[in-house]
Amino acid sequence: MTENDAVVAVAHDFPAAFDNILRVLPLTKTIAIVNGVSPNEKFWLGEMRRELEPLTGRVELRWYGEKSFE
């Protein structure tokens, strides 16, 4: 790194985030995930799908990425 560089480090824990949703709202049956279609967003979509696989049968995950915001 140089003096002109900056880093914002983030550790994603998708299962913990979704477990929190279900802990606060235990009657939740469906969660919608809105994501973009850039290469970076497609990468994270794959990671989320993989990490959230254990929720299958517990809650329906609806993935929205191909639709415009309109």
Side-chain angles (χ1 to χ4, degrees):
M1 289 187 53
T2 70
E3 62 187 43
N4 295 321
D5 294 331
V7 172
V8 177
V10 177
H12 296 287
D13 190 342
F14 299 116
F18 283 73
D19 282 341
N20 283 336
I21 293 169
L22 296 171
R23 188 174 305 119
V24 173
L25 301 166
L27 299 178
T28 299
K29 301 293 181 206
T30 305
I31 300 174
I33 299 99
V34 180
N35 198 40
V37 294
S38 73
N40 188 45
E41 291 163 322
K42 286 182 179 181
F43 168 80
W44 285 111
L45 174 65
E47 292 297 298
M48 283 192 293
R49 284 184 185 270
R50 182 180 58 80
E51 291 185 21
L52 297 175
E53 184 70 30
L55 293 177
T56 301
R58 181 175 174 195
V59 66
E60 177 189 0
L61 299 176
R62 290 193 186 168
W63 304 91
Y64 296 99
E66 301 292 329
K67 298 182 180 200
S68 71
F69 282 113
E70 296 173 357

